[in-house]
Amino acid sequence: MLHCNCSIYGDEETREGLGVDPGDEIESILEIIERHELKVNAIVITHAHIDHIGGAQKLKRATGAPVYMNANDQALQQMMDVQAGWLGMRTPEATAIDVDAKDGDKLVLGTAEIHVMHTPGHTQGSISLWIPSEGKLVAGDTLFRGSIGRTDLPGGDGRQILRSIHDKLLPLPDETVVIPGHGQNTTIGLEKRVNPFLNGSVLRGA
Ligand SMILES: [Zn+2]
């Protein structure tokens, strides 16, 4: 309903899989996992907004995979009924978090390393995943094509999100493909050139 991008990564050799932000529609996510014969061994939540975490417990039950989330989003996770109220939705089943995903942590998927970067600002526990061997960045709701994540919800901080993007995301190679939590993919190079939130004047005014 909220058009959150869930992404699934798999290693072609080992068939190990990783699910990111299973907000809802777990049946179609499981269908993709089955079609590619993946064994999901981690579920990563980029941040505890309902559209990113809502289906995580269901996917966890179906796959047996542990759930990773940054502990700074625990308070937000505990407000799931409030979040559901904002959207007029039913409160989803609570997700038991198994692992605190901290800045600098690495997950391994086959031969690929997945680096956890703490990129707070949209929420205090927002993380991005950098997969150097694939040249891909899973950005959650931190960076979008032509925009950045909103910071007006509880735990949001406008200066902090810009600092996270400038310090952690923009130094990545220009050709890095950015997979945001909503909308179309982009690249780091394109966002440096055209994203109106990332030029100096907006930064100074923030
Ligand atoms: Zn969000």
Side-chain angles (χ1 to χ4, degrees):
M1 175 177 121
L2 301 162
H3 304 289
C4 173
N5 296 329
C6 168
S7 35
I8 298 155
Y9 299 86
D11 183 77
E12 286 142 343
E13 296 292 320
T14 64
R15 312 314 296 180
E16 292 169 289
L18 167 77
V20 183
D21 287 350
D24 202 357
E25 299 178 18
I26 299 306
E27 288 76 16
S28 39
I29 294 170
L30 286 170
E31 200 181 292
I32 294 166
I33 290 166
E34 274 161 34
R35 195 189 318 144
H36 295 275
E37 297 172 358
L38 295 176
K39 159 106 182 72
V40 175
N41 56 14
I43 298 165
V44 180
I45 309 301
T46 62
H47 64 289
H49 277 156
I50 191 167
D51 49 333
H52 294 255
I53 194 175
Q57 187 66 20
K58 209 167 166 185
L59 185 61
K60 175 177 166 167
R61 200 178 320 109
T63 61
V67 179
Y68 292 67
M69 187 187 84
N70 186 276
N72 292 293
D73 261 4
Q74 272 170 6
L76 199 57
Q77 196 200 355
Q78 280 154 16
M79 296 171 48
M80 206 52 63
D81 53 338
V82 177
Q83 292 194 44
W86 293 337
L87 301 162
M89 289 171 64
R90 282 169 54 184
T91 307
E93 186 181 358
T95 299
I97 304 300
D98 299 287
V99 186
D100 177 15
K102 298 186 297 294
D103 192 62
D105 282 355
K106 279 178 201 162
L107 281 81
V108 175
L109 192 66
T111 54
E113 279 190 343
I114 296 159
H115 298 237
V116 174
M117 293 192 288
H118 184 214
T119 48
H122 175 61
T123 68
Q124 288 307 298
S126 283
I127 57 171
S128 303
L129 302 175
W130 160 229
I131 314 170
S133 61
E134 300 289 319
K136 289 191 170 117
L137 175 79
V138 183
D141 285 358
T142 298
L143 179 62
F144 297 121
R145 182 170 181 145
S147 188
I148 62 172
R150 61 189 289 185
T151 54
D152 58 329
L153 295 171
D157 183 324
R159 283 175 182 274
Q160 196 182 30
I161 194 171
L162 287 170
R163 189 159 306 121
S164 290
I165 294 169
H166 280 275
D167 292 354
K168 299 218 167 125
L169 305 188
L170 298 189
L172 298 174
D174 278 357
E175 60 276 17
T176 302
V177 174
V178 179
I179 302 153
H182 303 268
Q184 289 179 289
N185 289 358
T186 182
T187 65
I188 290 291
L190 184 65
E191 294 313 307
K192 274 186 195 164
R193 289 199 306 280
V194 305
N195 192 315
F197 294 89
L198 303 182
N199 68 50
S201 59
V202 176
L203 180 59
R204 278 195 300 275

